Amino acid sequence: MCTPHEPLGSRDSRVEPVDQKLPLPSMLLYGVQHVLVMAAAPITAVFLVGQAMGFGNDVMVALMSATFLVCGFGTLLQSFGPFGIGARLPFVQVPGGAPLVIFLTIAQATDLQTATGAVILTGVFYFLALPFFTKVLRFFPPIVIGTMLLLVAINLVRIFGGLITGQEGSPDFANLTSIALALATMTAIVLCARLFTGVLQRIAVMLGLLIGATLAAVFGVMEFDGVLTGPVVALPSLFPFGLPKFDLFASLPLIIFSVVSMTEATGQTLATAEIVEKHGDARALVPRNIRADALGSLLGGCFGTSLIITSGENIGIVRATGVRSRYVTVAAGLILVLLGLFAPLGRLASLLPTAVVAGTAVIVFAIIGVMGINILRRVDFDEHGNMFTLASALAMGLLPILVPGFYSAFPEHLQILLGNGLAMGTLTAVLVNLLFHHLGRRNDAPAGAALPRQEIKGK
Protein backbone atom coordinates (compact mmCIF):
# COMPACT_ATOMS: atom_id res chain seq x y z
CA MET A 1 0.00 0.00 0.00
CA CYS A 2 1.15 3.50 -0.73
CA THR A 3 1.18 5.91 2.16
CA PRO A 4 -0.98 9.08 1.88
CA HIS A 5 2.10 11.01 0.83
CA GLU A 6 3.54 8.38 -1.50
CA PRO A 7 2.49 8.70 -5.14
CA LEU A 8 1.10 5.69 -6.93
CA GLY A 9 3.16 4.00 -9.57
CA SER A 10 6.94 3.83 -9.70
CA ARG A 11 8.79 3.84 -6.38
CA ASP A 12 12.21 4.22 -7.93
CA SER A 13 14.18 6.14 -5.31
CA ARG A 14 16.22 7.74 -8.06
CA VAL A 15 13.11 9.56 -9.36
CA GLU A 16 11.71 12.49 -7.42
CA PRO A 17 8.04 12.17 -6.39
CA VAL A 18 7.11 15.07 -8.66
CA ASP A 19 8.61 13.26 -11.67
CA GLN A 20 7.12 9.81 -11.04
CA LYS A 21 4.67 8.46 -13.60
CA LEU A 22 1.43 6.93 -12.34
CA PRO A 23 -0.58 4.10 -13.91
CA LEU A 24 -2.80 5.51 -16.63
CA PRO A 25 -6.15 4.91 -14.84
CA SER A 26 -4.91 6.61 -11.66
CA MET A 27 -3.39 9.47 -13.62
CA LEU A 28 -6.67 10.07 -15.47
CA LEU A 29 -8.73 9.86 -12.27
CA TYR A 30 -6.60 12.40 -10.45
CA GLY A 31 -6.47 14.54 -13.58
CA VAL A 32 -10.28 14.66 -13.73
CA GLN A 33 -10.28 15.68 -10.07
CA HIS A 34 -8.02 18.64 -10.84
CA VAL A 35 -10.31 19.64 -13.72
CA LEU A 36 -13.41 19.48 -11.50
CA VAL A 37 -11.75 21.71 -8.93
CA MET A 38 -10.85 24.41 -11.44
CA ALA A 39 -13.77 24.13 -13.89
CA ALA A 40 -15.92 26.73 -12.14
CA ALA A 41 -13.28 29.40 -12.83
CA PRO A 42 -13.40 29.38 -16.68
CA ILE A 43 -17.18 28.91 -16.71
CA THR A 44 -17.83 31.87 -14.40
CA ALA A 45 -15.21 33.95 -16.23
CA VAL A 46 -16.92 33.49 -19.58
CA PHE A 47 -20.34 34.10 -18.04
CA LEU A 48 -19.21 37.33 -16.39
CA VAL A 49 -17.78 38.77 -19.60
CA GLY A 50 -20.60 37.40 -21.77
CA GLN A 51 -23.40 38.73 -19.58
CA ALA A 52 -21.75 42.10 -19.00
CA MET A 53 -20.98 42.63 -22.69
CA GLY A 54 -24.22 41.14 -24.04
CA PHE A 55 -22.71 38.28 -26.04
CA GLY A 56 -24.94 35.86 -27.92
CA ASN A 57 -24.77 32.09 -27.46
CA ASP A 58 -22.44 31.59 -30.44
CA VAL A 59 -19.85 33.98 -29.01
CA MET A 60 -20.24 32.47 -25.53
CA VAL A 61 -19.66 28.94 -26.84
CA ALA A 62 -16.57 30.00 -28.81
CA LEU A 63 -15.15 31.91 -25.84
CA MET A 64 -15.83 28.98 -23.49
CA SER A 65 -13.94 26.64 -25.81
CA ALA A 66 -11.06 29.09 -26.16
CA THR A 67 -10.79 29.54 -22.39
CA PHE A 68 -10.64 25.79 -21.69
CA LEU A 69 -8.12 25.36 -24.50
CA VAL A 70 -5.81 28.11 -23.21
CA CYS A 71 -6.08 26.80 -19.63
CA GLY A 72 -5.09 23.35 -20.90
CA PHE A 73 -2.15 24.77 -22.83
CA GLY A 74 -0.94 26.71 -19.77
CA THR A 75 -1.30 23.63 -17.56
CA LEU A 76 0.80 21.57 -19.97
CA LEU A 77 3.43 24.32 -20.05
CA GLN A 78 3.67 24.32 -16.25
CA SER A 79 3.80 20.52 -16.07
CA PHE A 80 6.34 19.88 -18.85
CA GLY A 81 8.37 23.11 -18.53
CA PRO A 82 9.91 23.23 -22.03
CA PHE A 83 12.64 25.78 -22.81
CA GLY A 84 12.55 27.25 -19.31
CA ILE A 85 8.82 28.07 -19.54
CA GLY A 86 6.91 26.29 -16.77
CA ALA A 87 8.00 25.18 -13.30
CA ARG A 88 7.65 21.40 -13.90
CA LEU A 89 5.39 21.28 -10.86
CA PRO A 90 1.74 20.08 -10.59
CA PHE A 91 0.19 23.45 -11.47
CA VAL A 92 -3.14 24.07 -13.25
CA GLN A 93 -3.89 27.36 -15.03
CA VAL A 94 -7.17 29.29 -14.70
CA PRO A 95 -8.52 32.75 -15.59
CA GLY A 96 -7.71 35.00 -12.62
CA GLY A 97 -10.64 36.63 -10.80
CA ALA A 98 -9.02 39.99 -10.15
CA PRO A 99 -7.59 40.48 -13.67
CA LEU A 100 -10.94 39.42 -15.11
CA VAL A 101 -12.65 42.32 -13.35
CA ILE A 102 -9.96 44.72 -14.60
CA PHE A 103 -10.31 43.33 -18.13
CA LEU A 104 -14.04 43.89 -17.99
CA THR A 105 -13.64 47.39 -16.58
CA ILE A 106 -11.28 48.33 -19.43
CA ALA A 107 -13.68 46.82 -21.99
CA GLN A 108 -16.64 48.78 -20.60
CA ALA A 109 -14.68 52.02 -20.42
CA THR A 110 -13.21 51.66 -23.94
CA ASP A 111 -13.93 48.56 -26.04
CA LEU A 112 -13.05 44.88 -26.21
CA GLN A 113 -10.19 45.48 -28.66
CA THR A 114 -8.49 47.77 -26.12
CA ALA A 115 -9.07 45.23 -23.33
CA THR A 116 -7.53 42.53 -25.52
CA GLY A 117 -4.57 44.80 -26.21
CA ALA A 118 -4.20 45.35 -22.45
CA VAL A 119 -3.91 41.59 -21.87
CA ILE A 120 -1.25 41.27 -24.57
CA LEU A 121 0.71 44.28 -23.26
CA THR A 122 0.57 42.82 -19.76
CA GLY A 123 1.86 39.48 -21.01
CA VAL A 124 4.80 41.28 -22.61
CA PHE A 125 5.32 43.28 -19.39
CA TYR A 126 5.68 40.02 -17.44
CA PHE A 127 8.71 39.10 -19.53
CA LEU A 128 10.24 42.59 -19.38
CA ALA A 129 9.71 43.05 -15.63
CA LEU A 130 10.76 39.55 -14.55
CA PRO A 131 14.47 40.37 -14.05
CA PHE A 132 13.59 43.36 -11.87
CA PHE A 133 10.43 42.41 -9.99
CA THR A 134 12.22 41.13 -6.88
CA LYS A 135 13.31 44.71 -6.19
CA VAL A 136 9.70 45.87 -5.71
CA LEU A 137 8.48 43.00 -3.52
CA ARG A 138 8.95 45.05 -0.36
CA PHE A 139 6.35 47.54 -1.63
CA PHE A 140 3.66 44.82 -1.47
CA PRO A 141 3.45 43.93 2.23
CA PRO A 142 0.45 42.15 3.82
CA ILE A 143 -1.55 45.37 4.20
CA VAL A 144 -1.42 45.97 0.43
CA ILE A 145 -2.26 42.37 -0.50
CA GLY A 146 -5.05 42.11 2.09
CA THR A 147 -6.61 45.38 0.93
CA MET A 148 -6.46 44.28 -2.69
CA LEU A 149 -8.23 40.99 -1.95
CA LEU A 150 -10.94 42.74 0.04
CA LEU A 151 -11.62 45.15 -2.82
CA VAL A 152 -11.61 42.30 -5.34
CA ALA A 153 -14.28 40.51 -3.31
CA ILE A 154 -16.49 43.58 -2.89
CA ASN A 155 -16.28 44.46 -6.57
CA LEU A 156 -16.99 40.91 -7.77
CA VAL A 157 -19.87 40.31 -5.37
CA ARG A 158 -21.43 43.58 -6.58
CA ILE A 159 -21.03 42.56 -10.23
CA PHE A 160 -22.33 39.01 -9.81
CA GLY A 161 -25.14 40.16 -7.52
CA GLY A 162 -26.20 42.45 -10.35
CA LEU A 163 -26.22 39.50 -12.73
CA ILE A 164 -28.59 37.64 -10.40
CA THR A 165 -31.07 40.52 -10.12
CA GLY A 166 -30.80 41.76 -13.69
CA GLN A 167 -30.94 45.38 -14.73
CA GLU A 168 -32.77 47.68 -12.35
CA GLY A 169 -36.00 48.97 -13.84
CA SER A 170 -36.48 45.99 -16.17
CA PRO A 171 -39.63 43.83 -15.82
CA ASP A 172 -37.59 40.85 -14.55
CA PHE A 173 -35.55 42.81 -12.01
CA ALA A 174 -34.98 40.73 -8.84
CA ASN A 175 -37.12 37.92 -10.25
CA LEU A 176 -38.10 35.51 -7.45
CA THR A 177 -37.00 32.44 -9.45
CA SER A 178 -33.53 33.88 -10.10
CA ILE A 179 -33.05 34.90 -6.48
CA ALA A 180 -34.25 31.49 -5.24
CA LEU A 181 -31.93 29.62 -7.64
CA ALA A 182 -28.93 31.70 -6.60
CA LEU A 183 -29.65 31.22 -2.89
CA ALA A 184 -30.24 27.49 -3.39
CA THR A 185 -26.90 27.16 -5.20
CA MET A 186 -25.08 29.04 -2.44
CA THR A 187 -26.76 26.88 0.20
CA ALA A 188 -25.80 23.71 -1.66
CA ILE A 189 -22.15 24.78 -1.73
CA VAL A 190 -22.12 25.44 2.01
CA LEU A 191 -23.87 22.13 2.79
CA CYS A 192 -21.44 20.18 0.58
CA ALA A 193 -18.51 21.84 2.35
CA ARG A 194 -20.06 20.92 5.72
CA LEU A 195 -21.33 17.39 5.07
CA PHE A 196 -18.56 15.98 2.88
CA THR A 197 -14.92 15.29 3.62
CA GLY A 198 -11.80 14.74 1.56
CA VAL A 199 -12.05 15.10 -2.19
CA LEU A 200 -15.80 15.80 -2.20
CA GLN A 201 -15.30 18.64 0.25
CA ARG A 202 -12.59 20.04 -2.00
CA ILE A 203 -15.00 20.19 -4.92
CA ALA A 204 -17.91 21.59 -2.89
CA VAL A 205 -18.12 24.61 -5.21
CA MET A 206 -18.46 22.45 -8.30
CA LEU A 207 -20.97 20.15 -6.59
CA GLY A 208 -23.03 23.16 -5.54
CA LEU A 209 -23.05 24.45 -9.11
CA LEU A 210 -24.21 21.05 -10.38
CA ILE A 211 -26.96 20.89 -7.75
CA GLY A 212 -28.11 24.38 -8.72
CA ALA A 213 -28.16 23.41 -12.41
CA THR A 214 -30.13 20.25 -11.58
CA LEU A 215 -32.73 22.28 -9.67
CA ALA A 216 -32.96 24.66 -12.63
CA ALA A 217 -33.55 21.73 -15.00
CA VAL A 218 -36.17 20.16 -12.70
CA PHE A 219 -38.15 23.41 -12.52
CA GLY A 220 -37.86 24.06 -16.25
CA VAL A 221 -35.49 27.04 -16.00
CA MET A 222 -32.69 25.22 -17.81
CA GLU A 223 -33.30 23.47 -21.11
CA PHE A 224 -30.92 21.40 -23.17
CA ASP A 225 -32.12 22.20 -26.67
CA GLY A 226 -29.23 22.68 -29.05
CA VAL A 227 -26.53 21.00 -26.96
CA LEU A 228 -26.12 18.10 -29.39
CA THR A 229 -26.83 20.09 -32.54
CA GLY A 230 -24.12 21.85 -34.47
CA PRO A 231 -20.45 20.94 -34.92
CA VAL A 232 -18.75 18.56 -32.50
CA VAL A 233 -15.32 20.15 -32.79
CA ALA A 234 -14.79 23.78 -31.78
CA LEU A 235 -11.80 25.71 -33.10
CA PRO A 236 -11.38 29.09 -31.38
CA SER A 237 -10.95 32.18 -33.54
CA LEU A 238 -7.87 34.36 -33.41
CA PHE A 239 -8.78 37.86 -32.14
CA PRO A 240 -12.55 37.18 -31.91
CA PHE A 241 -13.28 40.82 -31.03
CA GLY A 242 -11.20 42.29 -33.83
CA LEU A 243 -7.57 43.37 -34.01
CA PRO A 244 -6.31 44.57 -30.60
CA LYS A 245 -5.75 48.23 -29.78
CA PHE A 246 -2.73 49.04 -27.64
CA ASP A 247 -3.41 51.83 -25.15
CA LEU A 248 -0.72 51.92 -22.47
CA PHE A 249 -2.70 54.20 -20.16
CA ALA A 250 -5.84 52.05 -20.39
CA SER A 251 -3.69 48.95 -19.75
CA LEU A 252 -2.10 50.40 -16.61
CA PRO A 253 -4.52 48.77 -14.09
CA LEU A 254 -3.82 45.31 -15.53
CA ILE A 255 -0.08 45.97 -15.61
CA ILE A 256 -0.17 47.05 -11.96
CA PHE A 257 -1.93 43.82 -11.09
CA SER A 258 0.74 41.77 -12.88
CA VAL A 259 3.31 42.93 -10.31
CA VAL A 260 1.07 41.60 -7.55
CA SER A 261 0.63 38.37 -9.50
CA MET A 262 4.39 37.89 -9.80
CA THR A 263 4.72 38.48 -6.07
CA GLU A 264 2.14 35.81 -5.39
CA ALA A 265 3.76 33.41 -7.86
CA THR A 266 6.99 33.50 -5.86
CA GLY A 267 5.42 32.20 -2.66
CA GLN A 268 3.24 29.69 -4.46
CA THR A 269 6.19 28.16 -6.29
CA LEU A 270 8.28 27.85 -3.12
CA ALA A 271 5.38 26.32 -1.19
CA THR A 272 4.54 23.79 -3.92
CA ALA A 273 8.18 22.79 -4.34
CA GLU A 274 8.23 22.02 -0.62
CA ILE A 275 4.95 20.04 -0.77
CA VAL A 276 6.24 17.80 -3.58
CA GLU A 277 9.72 17.58 -1.99
CA LYS A 278 11.46 19.01 -5.03
CA HIS A 279 15.23 18.86 -4.72
CA GLY A 280 17.48 21.82 -5.45
CA ASP A 281 16.94 25.56 -5.13
CA ALA A 282 13.21 26.15 -5.49
CA ARG A 283 13.82 29.85 -6.12
CA ALA A 284 15.19 28.95 -9.55
CA LEU A 285 11.70 27.67 -10.47
CA VAL A 286 10.01 31.04 -9.84
CA PRO A 287 10.96 32.64 -13.19
CA ARG A 288 9.83 29.47 -14.99
CA ASN A 289 6.41 29.70 -13.33
CA ILE A 290 6.01 33.38 -14.23
CA ARG A 291 7.07 32.79 -17.83
CA ALA A 292 4.32 30.18 -18.19
CA ASP A 293 1.78 32.63 -16.75
CA ALA A 294 3.04 35.24 -19.20
CA LEU A 295 2.91 32.99 -22.27
CA GLY A 296 -0.48 31.58 -21.29
CA SER A 297 -1.81 35.12 -20.89
CA LEU A 298 -0.37 36.20 -24.24
CA LEU A 299 -2.08 33.29 -25.93
CA GLY A 300 -5.28 33.98 -24.00
CA GLY A 301 -5.26 37.59 -25.14
CA CYS A 302 -5.06 36.44 -28.74
CA PHE A 303 -8.15 34.25 -28.23
CA GLY A 304 -10.20 36.76 -26.25
CA THR A 305 -9.55 35.78 -22.62
CA SER A 306 -8.08 37.77 -19.76
CA LEU A 307 -4.88 36.83 -17.87
CA ILE A 308 -4.35 33.10 -17.28
CA ILE A 309 -2.66 32.36 -13.95
CA THR A 310 -1.87 29.42 -11.66
CA SER A 311 -4.74 27.99 -9.61
CA GLY A 312 -4.18 27.97 -5.86
CA GLU A 313 -7.14 25.65 -5.32
CA ASN A 314 -5.41 22.86 -7.24
CA ILE A 315 -2.35 23.17 -5.05
CA GLY A 316 -4.66 22.38 -2.13
CA ILE A 317 -5.58 19.13 -3.90
CA VAL A 318 -1.90 18.16 -4.11
CA ARG A 319 -1.51 18.76 -0.39
CA ALA A 320 -4.73 16.95 0.53
CA THR A 321 -4.19 13.81 -1.54
CA GLY A 322 -0.41 13.50 -1.28
CA VAL A 323 -0.27 12.76 -5.03
CA ARG A 324 2.67 14.88 -6.07
CA SER A 325 3.36 13.75 -9.65
CA ARG A 326 3.29 16.48 -12.28
CA TYR A 327 2.02 13.90 -14.75
CA VAL A 328 -1.36 14.14 -13.02
CA THR A 329 -1.62 17.75 -14.17
CA VAL A 330 -0.34 16.68 -17.59
CA ALA A 331 -3.47 14.52 -17.71
CA ALA A 332 -5.55 17.48 -16.48
CA GLY A 333 -4.07 19.70 -19.19
CA LEU A 334 -4.87 17.19 -21.93
CA ILE A 335 -8.43 16.84 -20.61
CA LEU A 336 -8.84 20.63 -20.67
CA VAL A 337 -7.59 20.80 -24.26
CA LEU A 338 -10.07 18.09 -25.28
CA LEU A 339 -12.88 19.90 -23.47
CA GLY A 340 -11.93 23.08 -25.28
CA LEU A 341 -12.17 21.33 -28.63
CA PHE A 342 -15.44 19.55 -27.74
CA ALA A 343 -18.14 22.00 -28.84
CA PRO A 344 -21.13 20.39 -27.01
CA LEU A 345 -19.47 21.14 -23.69
CA GLY A 346 -19.29 24.81 -24.54
CA ARG A 347 -22.92 24.79 -25.62
CA LEU A 348 -23.94 23.03 -22.39
CA ALA A 349 -22.01 25.50 -20.24
CA SER A 350 -23.59 28.44 -22.08
CA LEU A 351 -27.05 27.11 -21.14
CA LEU A 352 -26.38 27.21 -17.40
CA PRO A 353 -28.77 29.73 -15.81
CA THR A 354 -27.10 33.00 -14.95
CA ALA A 355 -28.48 32.84 -11.40
CA VAL A 356 -26.78 29.47 -10.77
CA VAL A 357 -23.38 30.57 -12.08
CA ALA A 358 -23.59 33.97 -10.40
CA GLY A 359 -24.67 32.41 -7.09
CA THR A 360 -21.65 30.12 -7.28
CA ALA A 361 -19.40 33.08 -8.02
CA VAL A 362 -20.74 35.14 -5.10
CA ILE A 363 -19.62 32.44 -2.65
CA VAL A 364 -16.26 31.92 -4.35
CA PHE A 365 -15.41 35.61 -4.47
CA ALA A 366 -16.70 36.29 -0.96
CA ILE A 367 -14.12 33.73 0.18
CA ILE A 368 -11.50 35.98 -1.40
CA GLY A 369 -12.66 38.75 0.91
CA VAL A 370 -12.35 36.42 3.90
CA MET A 371 -8.77 35.66 2.88
CA GLY A 372 -8.05 39.37 2.64
CA ILE A 373 -9.47 39.91 6.13
CA ASN A 374 -7.36 37.04 7.44
CA ILE A 375 -4.25 38.66 6.02
CA LEU A 376 -5.19 42.05 7.48
CA ARG A 377 -5.63 40.45 10.92
CA ARG A 378 -1.86 40.19 11.15
CA VAL A 379 -1.33 43.90 10.50
CA ASP A 380 -0.79 46.14 13.53
CA PHE A 381 -3.44 48.85 13.14
CA ASP A 382 -2.32 50.58 16.32
CA GLU A 383 0.57 51.73 14.15
CA HIS A 384 -0.26 55.12 12.62
CA GLY A 385 0.93 54.40 9.07
CA ASN A 386 -0.91 51.09 8.75
CA MET A 387 -4.19 52.67 9.84
CA PHE A 388 -3.96 55.45 7.25
CA THR A 389 -2.76 53.06 4.54
CA LEU A 390 -5.86 50.90 4.88
CA ALA A 391 -8.24 53.83 5.36
CA SER A 392 -7.03 55.72 2.30
CA ALA A 393 -6.91 52.58 0.15
CA LEU A 394 -10.48 51.63 1.09
CA ALA A 395 -11.66 55.19 0.47
CA MET A 396 -10.14 55.37 -3.01
CA GLY A 397 -11.10 51.79 -3.82
CA LEU A 398 -14.70 51.82 -2.58
CA LEU A 399 -15.75 55.19 -3.99
CA PRO A 400 -15.90 54.09 -7.66
CA ILE A 401 -17.39 50.71 -6.65
CA LEU A 402 -20.16 52.06 -4.42
CA VAL A 403 -20.75 55.34 -6.26
CA PRO A 404 -20.68 54.59 -10.01
CA GLY A 405 -19.98 57.69 -12.06
CA PHE A 406 -18.02 59.36 -9.25
CA TYR A 407 -15.32 60.38 -11.76
CA SER A 408 -17.65 60.91 -14.72
CA ALA A 409 -16.60 64.58 -15.07
CA PHE A 410 -12.92 63.62 -15.45
CA PRO A 411 -11.21 63.07 -18.82
CA GLU A 412 -12.00 59.67 -20.33
CA HIS A 413 -8.46 58.31 -20.00
CA LEU A 414 -8.32 59.24 -16.33
CA GLN A 415 -11.70 57.59 -15.75
CA ILE A 416 -10.24 54.26 -16.84
CA LEU A 417 -7.80 54.30 -13.93
CA LEU A 418 -9.70 56.34 -11.34
CA GLY A 419 -12.94 54.46 -11.98
CA ASN A 420 -11.30 51.08 -11.35
CA GLY A 421 -11.74 50.57 -7.61
CA LEU A 422 -9.39 47.60 -7.47
CA ALA A 423 -6.54 49.34 -9.26
CA MET A 424 -7.01 52.63 -7.37
CA GLY A 425 -7.27 50.93 -3.98
CA THR A 426 -4.17 48.81 -4.58
CA LEU A 427 -2.17 51.72 -6.00
CA THR A 428 -3.20 53.95 -3.09
CA ALA A 429 -2.18 51.27 -0.58
CA VAL A 430 1.24 50.98 -2.23
CA LEU A 431 1.82 54.75 -2.33
CA VAL A 432 0.60 55.50 1.21
CA ASN A 433 2.56 52.55 2.61
CA LEU A 434 5.59 53.90 0.74
CA LEU A 435 5.00 57.35 2.23
CA PHE A 436 4.80 56.11 5.82
CA HIS A 437 7.28 53.25 5.81
CA HIS A 438 9.88 53.88 3.10
CA LEU A 439 10.32 57.65 2.66
CA GLY A 440 12.28 59.58 5.25
CA ARG A 441 13.44 58.31 8.61
CA ARG A 442 10.79 56.94 10.90
CA ASN A 443 10.83 54.80 13.98
CA ASP A 444 7.60 52.99 13.06
CA ALA A 445 7.67 49.25 12.67
CA PRO A 446 8.03 48.02 9.09
CA ALA A 447 4.86 47.04 7.33
CA GLY A 448 6.08 43.52 6.64
CA ALA A 449 7.17 41.46 3.70
CA ALA A 450 5.05 40.39 0.78
CA LEU A 451 2.92 37.33 1.34
CA PRO A 452 3.51 34.02 -0.41
CA ARG A 453 0.99 33.13 -3.05
CA GLN A 454 -0.46 30.14 -1.24
CA GLU A 455 -1.93 32.50 1.37
CA ILE A 456 -4.00 34.27 -1.25
CA LYS A 457 -4.74 31.33 -3.45
CA GLY A 458 -8.37 32.27 -3.87
CA LYS A 459 -7.75 35.13 -6.17
Side-chain angles (χ1 to χ4, degrees):
M1 291 291 292
C2 294
T3 66
H5 298 287
E6 183 179 357
L8 302 173
S10 172
R11 299 190 189 186
D12 190 342
S13 60
R14 294 171 298 179
V15 179
E16 293 187 58
V18 72
D19 295 324
Q20 289 182 333
K21 296 182 179 180
L22 280 63
L24 183 60
S26 298
M27 188 167 66
L28 290 175
L29 176 63
Y30 285 115
V32 169
Q33 177 179 263
H34 274 284
V35 172
L36 287 175
V37 168
M38 61 75 69
I43 291 173
T44 53
V46 173
F47 255 82
L48 174 60
V49 176
Q51 291 288 331
M53 303 304 296
F55 292 158
N57 278 345
D58 290 345
V59 177
M60 292 273 281
V61 169
L63 191 56
M64 190 79 68
S65 297
T67 304
F68 273 110
L69 192 64
V70 174
C71 289
F73 174 77
T75 299
L76 291 173
L77 272 181
Q78 289 284 21
S79 302
F80 282 125
F83 309 111
I85 302 174
R88 293 185 180 175
L89 293 173
F91 285 149
V92 175
Q93 302 290 89
V94 297
L100 180 66
V101 175
I102 299 173
F103 172 86
L104 189 54
T105 303
I106 295 171
Q108 291 174 328
T110 56
D111 50 43
L112 281 164
Q113 295 97 318
T114 303
T116 298
V119 174
I120 295 173
L121 284 176
T122 303
V124 173
F125 177 79
Y126 270 116
F127 285 108
L128 297 178
L130 184 56
F132 311 103
F133 91 100
T134 53
K135 297 180 181 179
V136 302
L137 290 182
R138 61 196 182 103
F139 300 129
F140 289 84
I143 192 168
V144 174
I145 303 297
T147 302
M148 181 198 72
L149 292 181
L150 194 55
L151 290 171
V152 166
I154 294 170
N155 200 20
L156 285 170
V157 168
R158 179 186 67 84
I159 291 172
F160 276 93
L163 292 180
I164 295 170
T165 61
Q167 188 173 358
E168 189 172 359
S170 65
D172 291 330
F173 177 70
N175 179 276
L176 180 60
T177 302
S178 295
I179 300 296
L181 265 180
L183 293 178
T185 303
M186 295 163 66
T187 302
I189 292 171
V190 174
L191 289 177
C192 289
R194 174 64 182 88
L195 297 176
F196 295 135
T197 58
V199 173
L200 290 178
Q201 188 181 64
R202 289 280 179 182
I203 61 172
V205 171
M206 196 64 193
L207 291 176
L209 186 147
L210 293 175
I211 291 171
T214 301
L215 289 173
V218 168
F219 289 101
V221 179
M222 180 179 177
E223 299 178 352
F224 299 93
D225 295 341
V227 172
L228 298 179
T229 60
V232 175
V233 178
L235 294 175
S237 302
L238 193 64
F239 303 123
F241 310 126
L243 291 177
K245 300 176 184 177
F246 299 106
D247 186 327
L248 186 59
F249 196 86
S251 306
L252 191 58
L254 208 54
I255 291 173
I256 291 172
F257 173 82
S258 71
V259 179
V260 179
S261 180
M262 286 189 283
T263 303
E264 298 166 357
T266 302
Q268 188 160 342
T269 304
L270 297 178
T272 305
E274 182 179 350
I275 292 170
V276 303
E277 299 179 3
K278 179 72 176 176
H279 296 161
D281 184 6
R283 290 174 296 182
L285 302 177
V286 173
R288 301 176 65 106
N289 181 357
I290 294 174
R291 289 188 198 109
D293 279 357
L295 189 56
S297 295
L298 275 173
L299 183 66
C302 294
F303 288 110
T305 78
S306 182
L307 298 185
I308 303 297
I309 58 179
T310 302
S311 165
E313 287 79 0
N314 290 86
I315 293 171
I317 288 293
V318 175
R319 183 185 290 275
T321 62
V323 180
R324 297 166 288 183
S325 171
R326 61 190 170 97
Y327 289 99
V328 167
T329 50
V330 168
L334 291 173
I335 292 169
L336 287 170
V337 169
L338 291 175
L339 290 177
L341 295 174
F342 188 56
L345 175 73
R347 290 194 287 269
L348 177 62
S350 69
L351 294 175
L352 286 170
T354 301
V356 172
V357 178
T360 304
V362 166
I363 284 286
V364 170
F365 294 127
I367 291 173
I368 296 177
V370 174
M371 292 179 175
I373 292 169
N374 188 48
I375 292 170
L376 291 172
R377 280 193 315 119
R378 284 171 278 161
V379 177
D380 179 13
F381 288 110
D382 289 331
E383 197 277 314
H384 196 64
N386 289 337
M387 180 183 68
F388 273 95
T389 298
L390 180 59
S392 57
L394 288 178
M396 294 301 292
L398 290 177
L399 274 174
I401 294 175
L402 301 179
V403 189
F406 188 83
Y407 295 106
S408 58
F410 282 64
E412 184 175 330
H413 277 74
L414 282 178
Q415 288 183 44
I416 296 172
L417 178 61
L418 294 174
N420 187 315
L422 173 59
M424 278 306 300
T426 304
L427 183 59
T428 300
V430 170
L431 294 177
V432 177
N433 179 71
L434 179 69
L435 176 66
F436 277 95
H437 295 290
H438 296 278
L439 297 180
R441 295 183 178 180
R442 292 182 53 84
N443 294 322
D444 294 337
L451 286 179
R453 187 171 188 170
Q454 71 273 18
E455 294 185 307
I456 52 176
K457 65 182 180 179
K459 79 181 179 65

